[in-house]
Amino acid sequence: MSSFACPVDGATLVPVERSGIEIDHCPTCRGVWLDRGELDKIIERSATPAPEPYREQRPHYDNRGHHPYKKRKSFFEELFD
């Protein structure tokens, strides 16, 4: 790709590849410029569902509401709590 000038300030655009898509950005005004077809590629990739994030399972509580990893209170601590 040959270097192009920024339409805003005339600075030389710098090509950068992100996720397999080459985009041009201006280092002075920080503008981002796309060639034909690049926006379509971005839209296609954003339309694919992202993998579901890992969900940490909640700790299991017994029938009295006790957490299995907490130190159990004595009979008197539970009585006077």
Side-chain angles (χ1 to χ4, degrees), residues 5 8 21 32-33 38 40 46 60 63 68-69 71 76 80:
V8 175
I21 301 171
V32 176
W33 307 97
E38 292 174 341
D40 294 331
S46 66
H60 176 71
N63 60 357
Y69 302 111
K71 182 180 175 186
F76 292 108
F80 295 110

Side-chain angles (χ1 to χ4, degrees), residues 29-59:
C29 76
R30 300 179 57 95
V32 176
W33 307 97
L34 303 173
D35 294 332
R36 182 182 307 248
E38 292 174 341
L39 180 60
D40 294 331
K41 290 179 186 177
I42 293 171
I43 291 170
E44 285 174 10
R45 292 194 182 171
S46 66
T48 57
E52 190 170 321
Y54 173 75
R55 291 187 182 170
E56 187 175 336
Q57 292 186 353
R58 302 177 96 199

Side-chain angles (χ1 to χ4, degrees), residues 59-62 65-74 78 81:
H60 176 71
Y61 291 87
D62 66 9
H66 292 126
H67 188 281
Y69 302 111
K70 285 187 176 180
K71 182 180 175 186
R72 221 173 163 166
K73 294 181 180 181
S74 71
E78 286 186 15
D81 193 12

